[in-house]
Amino acid sequence: MFKATLKSLLSRKLRLVLSALAVVLGVMFVSGSFVLTDTLQRSFTDLFSSAFANVDVSVTPKAEKGKQPEPLTPQAIADVKSVAGVASAVGDVQGSARPIGKNGKVITTSGSPRFGFNWTGTGQEKIRDGKAPATENEVAVGGSLATAGGFKVGDDIALLTLEPKKTFKITGIYEYAGGRDSLGGELSVAFTEPVAQQLLLGKKDVFSGITVTAAQGTTDDALRDAVAAKLGSGYDVKTGAVLAKEQADQINEGLKFFNYVLLGFAGIALFVGIFIILNTFSIIVAQRTRELALLRSMGASRGQVIGSVVLEALVIGLIASIVGLGAGIGIGALLAKIFSSVGGTDLQLASIGVPMTAVISAFAVGMIVTVVAAVMPALRASRIAPVAAMREAATPDRPLTKITITGALVAAAGGTSLAFGFNQASLPLIFGGILVAFVGVALLTPILSKPMVSLIGRLLSWSMPGLLGRRNSARNPRRTAITAAALMVGISLITGVSVVLTSATKSIEKLASGQLQTDLIVSGEGQMEGEPATFRRDVLTKIEKTDGVKSAVGWSQDGVLEGENQLFAVGVTDVPAMASMFGLKPKSGTIAPLKDDQLALPEEMAAEKGWSVGSKVTLQLAKGEPKTYAVGFIWVKSQVLQGALVLPESASKDFRSDQIAQAFVQVAPGVSAADVQKRVEPLFADNPEITVQDRSAFVKQTTSQFDTVLLMIQILLALAILIAVLGVINTLALSVIERTRELGLLRAIGMRRAQVMRMITVESVVISVFGAVLGLAVGLALGVATVQALKDQGISEIGLPWMTMVQYLVVAAFVGVIAAILPAIRAARLNVLDAIAYE
């Protein structure tokens, strides 16, 4: 029996390749994810080891929770120098510094920081060209910044710091060990120490940290303990090795999430692959009816028949796992290379490694998925009676009653899990519900297959080849259903995400046109540190005095602590004007200017906290001691400022930055907003981070990130759709083999090769469009359910991406044409006499 199985397997090499290909792609994604994250983790570990190579001990001010740490004084440096075992102690100054390019725009990165520091000459930076800065109008720039901005020694460079734009002369360009332009793609600039202190920390004679070098014979740990004992508990004293590990651990924690995302999409790809393998083995069993029945008549037991099919699955799974692992290593290495270069990180990659998790997951996933998908066909094969060897036809299709009832129950279970998941905000229940719902819909698909395929096929059956293609696609509902279900999974997920993002966009548009009664919005890009771009308060005053401006309101913003809870707060310049612009209505109390010890909040937060007008709330701001505020008023639930505390303007002085983060402008009646915009924009000539936009442009900028998210998901789900396309090719190819004699007879009675190809193409297009229609229906249901669950999060409108859905249908039809090419060519090339004689 073992020999018979292997001979059967090797005699059908095309079947072997088609069966294994879907598993190969899924395994490739899984193993590639582990290879990629392992390589990046080791690369970042090496990066931070290099970054702190010259640091024996580091001293930074310890911050109380919720408060901004106070900078270090020269006395702290003197205290450190007095410790036995200290060879040197150098004060460090570091803060945000954003360079402006020669085109007048801020130079951005894809995640790497932009910062400035004081040039000490003791760090890792070495001057490559020119000299170090010596006067207050001189700076040196890193090699990566020089390349990004096209700067050279002698050029002027404009920088944004805590102060408005200032221009400096570049006196030098520095590099790191090995001639590297940067450690990790950062854009950095070095000032003289007094300038760095003023621009980066906002004070003179202060430092953000101290770098300590140990004297010969003193260990880092011993020096750390001695410095900590000298300075007391108000400082964080750590060795360079500890700092490197902490920084690497933070990055690696983010990479774990990135890995989970990739593995999630790999799981989707494998889920789709199960449909393909299940369909493949079902067709194979049907085609081998006579062969398996003959084996039964010769004495093979049911267990041996099951073992034969499972053995075939094991061989396919083993081969697919080996090939998929190899492909995954290549893909992981390629993605790591792309991440290190295109991603703007300029990360020096560690050697590509293959972690044991990649190897184990490749073989476990590849073989288990294949065997699981082959179990049902194997059981079906074992039930073939020996008398079937006498029959010409394969096993007839069975009634759909049981599978339909099962599908309805499974789909209902999936819907119930989704409902509980959304209600309790439980991701496991949500993802589990989606998975179960997909299985349920897949089980229901056969009952839908005949009517829907017939309806779709009518659009293509204007000729005899088209009519035959339509009938072929409907002749085996189970086979068509499984093939279409594979495509349904990818299309439904993309459609569901599109519905959610379209609904979010529509909600924001409604919010802007309804509640946001402002003509112009002044805002800027966010910083790498998570802080928004800001502008001076005197500029807001100038906006108010601009011709055509009726009123202007601005706010500064920051995180504040209420007990252990982190809350978002804004310090508003004119609370009644803000309420008028945002359409806020009082729920309790009266909307009026807030006193210095008052705050306001939305009703949903008040209900959650149990606060009412007059309640006392103690907040810890970034600066100063905790302060108690009384609730002045509570506004009716609104989509504006959800989850935000409104504080008086005076509170802004204790924020990390008291400058204006956003401003809102109303123009006078009869005045063009575009004209006022032209008058306001020159006020920000020295701050290219800030933009002045009307409401429509602001909404477009806000929602543009949704397009990026959708594109990323489409790219990641493309693998699942590719596997589904392979499933269509697989089904058609095996179907052509199964119908060899039938095709020969059609050719014998006059059907031309082009007509044969058209018939196969129509069959393929019908199956693909059927899968897309199913996907659109399921995706719409998932998307609408998600939007309903997110109503309280601000997505109040349901938006359906009609044009996108039409595009998916067109793409599905195109996919059907592409998938039909190889099977159609094979069918057209059949030798008529050989085909008629085929058994």
Side-chain angles (χ1 to χ4, degrees):
M1 195 69 185
F2 178 76
K3 290 181 179 179
T5 301
L6 292 183
K7 281 193 174 182
S8 173
L9 184 65
L10 295 174
S11 66
R12 297 174 175 87
K13 296 182 178 62
L14 176 62
R15 186 179 71 195
L16 175 66
V17 172
L18 292 174
S19 303
L21 202 50
V23 186
V24 167
L25 291 174
V27 170
M28 176 188 72
F29 211 152
V30 172
S31 56
S33 300
F34 284 114
V35 170
L36 170 63
T37 51
D38 176 75
T39 302
L40 293 180
Q41 284 175 352
R42 288 185 291 106
S43 300
F44 278 110
T45 299
D46 293 345
L47 164 65
F48 291 114
S49 295
S50 299
F52 293 101
N54 289 358
V55 179
D56 292 335
V57 171
S58 171
V59 178
T60 55
K62 183 177 291 185
E64 296 179 28
K65 191 170 184 180
K67 292 186 65 175
Q68 188 177 31
E70 291 294 328
L72 299 174
T73 63
Q75 181 59 47
I77 299 176
D79 289 342
V80 172
K81 286 182 177 179
S82 68
V83 175
V86 171
S88 66
V90 179
D92 300 319
V93 179
Q94 185 168 313
S96 176
R98 289 91 64 202
I100 299 172
K102 294 182 178 180
N103 60 357
K105 297 182 179 180
V106 174
I107 302 174
T108 60
T109 68
S110 299
S112 300
R114 299 170 294 178
F115 63 88
F117 64 97
N118 60 322
W119 182 269
T120 61
T122 61
Q124 295 188 67
E125 303 85 6
K126 305 298 178 186
I127 293 293
R128 172 197 295 169
D129 188 16
K131 62 178 183 178
T135 64
E136 64 180 14
N137 67 335
E138 294 179 345
V139 295
V141 299
S144 59
L145 175 53
T147 300
F151 296 115
K152 61 182 183 297
V153 173
D155 285 350
D156 288 335
I157 182 172
L159 297 165
L160 295 172
T161 57
L162 292 179
E163 297 188 9
K165 182 176 72 175
K166 291 184 179 294
T167 302
F168 298 85
K169 181 74 68 178
I170 298 176
T171 62
I173 297 174
Y174 52 84
E175 64 181 15
Y176 297 88
R180 297 169 61 184
D181 283 345
S182 69
L183 289 174
E186 74 281 356
L187 301 181
S188 60
V189 57
F191 303 89
T192 59
E193 189 169 285
V195 174
Q197 290 169 334
Q198 185 63 42
L199 297 185
L200 306 181
L201 301 181
K203 296 180 181 179
K204 294 181 179 179
D205 294 327
V206 290
F207 300 88
S208 50
I210 305 172
T211 297
V212 186
T213 305
Q216 190 171 4
T218 303
T219 65
D220 293 352
D221 290 341
L223 183 61
R224 175 201 59 202
D225 295 341
V227 171
K230 175 67 176 181
L231 295 178
S233 60
Y235 301 86
D236 283 323
V237 184
K238 300 176 182 178
T239 63
V242 169
L243 284 174
K245 185 179 184 303
E246 288 180 350
Q247 295 289 328
D249 287 346
Q250 288 181 13
I251 294 292
N252 291 340
E253 198 61 37
L255 289 175
K256 282 183 183 178
F257 176 77
F258 179 58
N259 193 36
Y260 294 151
V261 171
L262 291 179
L263 289 175
F265 284 99
I268 294 170
L270 286 168
F271 182 62
V272 173
I274 289 176
F275 287 103
I276 307 307
I277 300 165
L278 177 64
N279 207 22
T280 299
F281 277 93
S282 296
I283 297 173
I284 289 170
V285 168
Q287 291 176 358
R288 294 174 59 195
T289 297
R290 296 185 68 184
E291 174 189 330
L292 294 172
L294 283 170
L295 289 173
R296 288 295 310 280
S297 66
M298 294 169 62
S301 66
R302 291 184 64 181
Q304 286 178 311
V305 172
I306 294 174
S308 173
V309 178
V310 171
L311 176 61
E312 189 169 336
L314 276 173
V315 172
I316 291 173
L318 178 62
I319 294 172
S321 298
I322 294 171
V323 176
L325 176 60
I329 294 170
I331 287 294
L334 177 63
L335 291 176
K337 182 66 176 176
I338 292 173
F339 181 92
S340 66
S341 54
V342 179
T345 60
D346 194 28
L347 180 66
Q348 186 170 330
L349 287 177
S351 59
I352 301 298
V354 184
M356 189 55 63
T357 49
V359 178
I360 294 173
S361 64
F363 286 97
V365 167
M367 298 182 72
I368 290 173
V369 164
T370 311
V371 171
V372 167
V375 167
M376 287 182 61
L379 292 173
R380 194 178 308 139
S382 70
R383 297 192 186 105
I384 297 174
V387 74
M390 317 275 189
R391 298 174 183 166
E392 287 288 333
T395 52
D397 212 19
R398 301 182 307 284
L400 300 175
T401 307
K402 289 184 179 179
I403 195 172
T404 302
I405 295 174
T406 304
L409 293 175
V410 173
T416 303
S417 177
L418 273 173
F420 278 111
F422 283 134
N423 186 48
Q424 300 176 15
S426 170
L427 285 179
L429 281 176
I430 291 173
F431 289 136
I434 291 174
L435 180 63
V436 173
F438 278 145
V439 174
V441 172
L443 293 173
L444 287 171
T445 303
I447 198 67
L448 302 172
S449 177
K450 274 193 175 181
M452 289 188 65
V453 165
S454 179
L455 180 62
I456 296 168
R458 287 183 185 279
L459 301 174
L460 304 171
S461 56
W462 61 82
S463 62
M464 183 55 65
L467 181 61
L468 290 174
R470 175 170 70 90
R471 290 178 176 176
N472 285 336
S473 58
R475 69 199 292 183
N476 193 324
R478 293 173 185 265
R479 183 180 302 176
T480 299
I482 294 176
T483 307
L487 186 59
M488 175 265 293
V489 173
I491 295 292
S492 62
L493 289 173
I494 293 177
T495 302
V497 172
S498 299
V499 169
V500 173
L501 297 182
T502 302
S503 299
T505 300
K506 189 174 180 180
S507 300
I508 293 173
E509 289 173 347
K510 182 180 179 181
L511 170 67
S513 61
Q515 291 180 277
L516 196 60
Q517 301 301 315
T518 180
D519 299 299
L520 300 176
I521 297 98
V522 183
S523 60
E525 65 163 290
Q527 301 301 319
M528 293 302 163
E529 297 80 11
E531 298 176 2
T534 59
F535 58 94
R536 300 189 313 272
R537 290 179 174 272
D538 64 310
V539 178
L540 180 62
T541 303
K542 293 177 182 177
I543 293 175
E544 293 173 332
K545 296 178 179 178
T546 301
D547 289 341
V549 172
K550 177 184 176 182
S551 62
V553 175
W555 68 48
S556 51
Q557 62 189 53
D558 199 3
V560 299
L561 274 183
E562 184 270 319
E564 294 294 318
N565 302 316
Q566 181 83 25
L567 301 176
F568 175 72
V570 294
V572 182
T573 59
D574 188 335
V575 173
M578 177 207 70
S580 174
M581 287 186 182
F582 292 171
L584 301 181
K585 304 297 181 184
K587 174 78 173 179
S588 302
T590 303
I591 294 180
L594 293 174
K595 298 178 182 178
D596 289 346
D597 61 349
Q598 287 184 319
L599 59 78
L601 69 157
E603 66 170 314
E604 57 268 31
M605 183 186 290
E608 178 187 345
K609 298 288 187 181
W611 297 338
S612 58
V613 172
S615 295
K616 302 296 184 180
V617 180
T618 301
L619 301 176
Q620 174 62 67
L621 277 58
K623 301 174 185 175
E625 298 301 317
K627 184 172 181 180
T628 300
Y629 294 86
V631 176
F633 67 88
I634 298 170
W635 68 82
V636 175
K637 185 177 180 180
S638 168
Q639 292 180 14
V640 181
L641 286 175
Q642 281 189 330
L645 290 175
V646 172
L647 300 180
E649 183 179 10
S650 59
S652 301
K653 69 180 186 302
D654 289 327
F655 286 178
R656 285 175 174 80
S657 172
D658 69 343
Q659 298 196 83
I660 303 297
Q662 278 192 307
F664 305 87
V665 181
Q666 278 186 328
V667 303
V671 179
S672 167
D675 291 340
V676 175
Q677 182 177 349
K678 292 177 182 178
R679 299 187 193 113
V680 172
E681 285 176 335
L683 299 176
F684 299 97
D686 65 343
N687 196 341
E689 288 179 307
I690 301 297
T691 57
V692 182
Q693 301 169 299
D694 59 22
R695 276 183 296 179
S696 61
F698 178 74
V699 169
K700 186 176 180 181
Q701 181 192 50
T702 303
T703 57
S704 62
Q705 58 187 319
F706 298 155
D707 297 331
T708 304
V709 172
L710 181 59
L711 178 61
M712 290 176 60
I713 291 175
Q714 286 174 330
I715 292 172
L716 289 170
L717 285 176
L719 179 63
I721 294 175
L722 174 61
I723 293 175
V725 172
L726 289 174
V728 178
I729 297 173
N730 202 1
T731 299
L732 291 174
L734 292 172
S735 180
V736 166
I737 296 172
E738 185 179 62
R739 290 165 18 212
T740 298
R741 190 173 184 183
E742 174 188 319
L743 292 169
L745 288 171
L746 288 172
R747 289 293 314 282
I749 62 175
M751 180 175 277
R752 298 187 301 275
R753 287 185 173 182
Q755 291 177 312
V756 172
M757 294 180 70
R758 196 184 315 158
M759 178 181 69
I760 300 296
T761 301
V762 168
E763 186 177 350
S764 176
V765 170
V766 168
I767 293 173
S768 297
V769 172
F770 174 42
V773 171
L774 278 176
L776 292 175
V778 175
L780 281 174
L782 287 174
V784 170
T786 303
V787 171
Q788 291 293 329
L790 294 176
K791 261 191 171 181
D792 292 337
Q793 307 301 318
I795 304 182
S796 59
E797 300 296 310
I798 295 178
L800 303 181
W802 295 112
M803 286 303 300
T804 302
M805 291 191 292
V806 170
Q807 290 172 2
Y808 291 157
L809 277 178
V810 173
V811 169
F814 178 73
V815 161
V817 173
I818 297 299
I821 291 176
L822 292 177
I825 291 174
R826 178 182 176 86
R829 287 180 176 176
L830 287 174
N831 183 285
V832 177
L833 294 178
D834 290 344
I836 292 173
Y838 183 82
E839 290 291 341

